[in-house]
Amino acid sequence: AQSLCTLHTARSQAHSNTAMAPAYDLVVFGATGYTGERVAASIDALSKAGTWRLKWAVGGRSRAKLDALCAKRGLAPTGVVVADTDDAASLKAMAASSRVVMNCTGPYRFYGEPVVAACVAAGADYVDLCGEPEFIDRMQLKFGVPAVLAGVLVVHACAFDSVPADVGCLFTALQFAPPARCAHAMMYHTADWPAGVKGAAGHATTFFAAVHGFANVGATRRQRKELLAALEARVPGSTKEAPTVGPKLRVATGPTWVAKLAKYAFRFPGADVAVVRTSQRTLHSLGGSLAADGGKDGTKQFLLPQYGAAFCVTSTMSAWMVAATGALFNFLAARAWGRSLLLRFPQTLSAGAFSHEGPSEEMLAKSTFRTVFFGAGYSDGGAAGGAFDRRVTCSVSGPEPGYIATALMFGAMARTLLDDRAGLGLKGGVFTPGALVGSGGAPAIRRLVERLGAVGVKFTVDEES
């Protein structure tokens, strides 16, 4: 294992890295975790294939476990960085050693903030896999201004939560070339899980994050009000939503039969809606030229669609099971004793969807996803109103979403920071994926779409009318 990895300790490099260029282009922190291991393997594969030449390191709190990871996976990183979320000095030294830190340590509610703080202090850009709206809002509230002053880009939700949703919404809007305008972008997550294969669909850590998020809904809402007030005080008008056209997009709770997909749909309970709205609010406050016209005051306005999110199941039995499991989760998560049960028995109380072991390798290898967008709008930009006269169906598809495609998306977002940063026009700040690439307009969005396509996450236009 020693021959596979050149071991470095973050502490010992702290002084030298402040006086010279960072030793690494990126560090995968939390590499020994369930998701982090797959992220590290994905970066390693791209590096060995020569498709992405970079200096990179795996990072975590145990040198022995990092060493074992390298041996198990046959990884050949440039180095290994030892750092711990309970040791601020080690985190800062790790951040100082790298241009970008890829943070895989969740739940982020408990472990994420020290890593963000270290990156802002050391001047390293930061990306994570976070699908936790409370954490995203908290980082915007606490580090929005410090990140700008430090010239650091902090980017959340760079995985299945919420790249397909956030970038897919922008991709769908781009199919309405001016003067046309996309008014609605209704999204449906679908997945193909192989029948008869052992293993849960997700790891218990994801389930735990959902439980804690549900338990703190009230606090999250209060924090969001605080965030919006702070943003408005900082830049008056920055919290206003982008102007919309067409009727209000309403998403049914479900189950609802979607004939075009031949599936039952439920309103999606994850982070996607919060992330897309955050991106749209940010892009509107920045101004730009994604598909924009002049406002009354002569400024540019992003013309972004109303967005809705749902997930689908195929059979009537699956629909009833989802409804029953969802009702049980909501009942238990609203009570302290119920949350204790959920945290103790994730596999039983999720009907086998989550487990401490996570998906089996066969489950990972044979699963796929497809996220479909039904875009609807006007060929005249909506000036005339009335019924929609232009429709587009787009999709984002790839391998197993929660871990395999997630690792690919995460790497693509990190590469955007390394390779495309100068073209985004951002000095620093806290962003979501759509806000980051949208700040660079249509060219930046298309570059990311091409980068994702090259690693197996495809964006396509399936139908136009």
Side-chain angles (χ1 to χ4, degrees), residues 143-297:
F143 293 101
V145 172
V148 172
L149 295 176
V152 169
L153 292 175
V154 174
V155 193
H156 302 296
C158 296
F160 190 69
D161 286 335
S162 290
V163 169
D166 208 10
V167 180
C169 186
L170 295 177
F171 178 79
T172 301
L174 284 178
Q175 309 315 311
F176 290 72
R181 179 174 177 186
C182 184
H184 288 180
M186 183 62 214
M187 183 199 80
Y188 296 90
H189 283 310
T190 72
D192 182 11
W193 310 109
V197 175
K198 293 183 179 180
H203 193 270
T205 302
T206 302
F207 185 77
F208 296 159
V211 173
H212 291 301
F214 193 99
N216 291 277
V217 167
T220 299
R221 288 173 178 166
R222 291 190 294 273
Q223 179 180 259
R224 182 159 296 160
K225 289 182 179 179
E226 183 182 358
L227 169 63
L228 294 177
L231 293 173
E232 189 66 22
R234 195 179 306 152
V235 182
S238 63
T239 62
K240 293 181 179 179
E241 294 186 358
T244 61
V245 295
K248 184 175 179 61
L249 175 59
R250 300 185 184 278
V251 182
T253 302
T256 303
W257 180 252
V258 182
K260 290 189 71 173
L261 297 174
K263 298 179 186 295
Y264 290 98
F266 293 82
R267 183 185 299 157
F268 186 62
D272 288 350
V273 171
V275 170
V276 171
R277 287 178 178 171
T278 296
S279 288
Q280 291 192 345
R281 183 184 68 237
T282 302
L283 290 174
H284 180 55
S285 69
L286 289 173
S289 57
L290 172 65
D293 60 7
K296 292 181 180 179
D297 60 355

Side-chain angles (χ1 to χ4, degrees), residues 90-109:
S90 71
L91 290 178
K92 187 175 179 181
M94 175 185 70
S97 74
S98 182
R99 293 171 60 195
V100 174
V101 172
M102 301 177 72
N103 185 17
C104 304
T105 57
Y108 291 90
R109 171 188 300 275

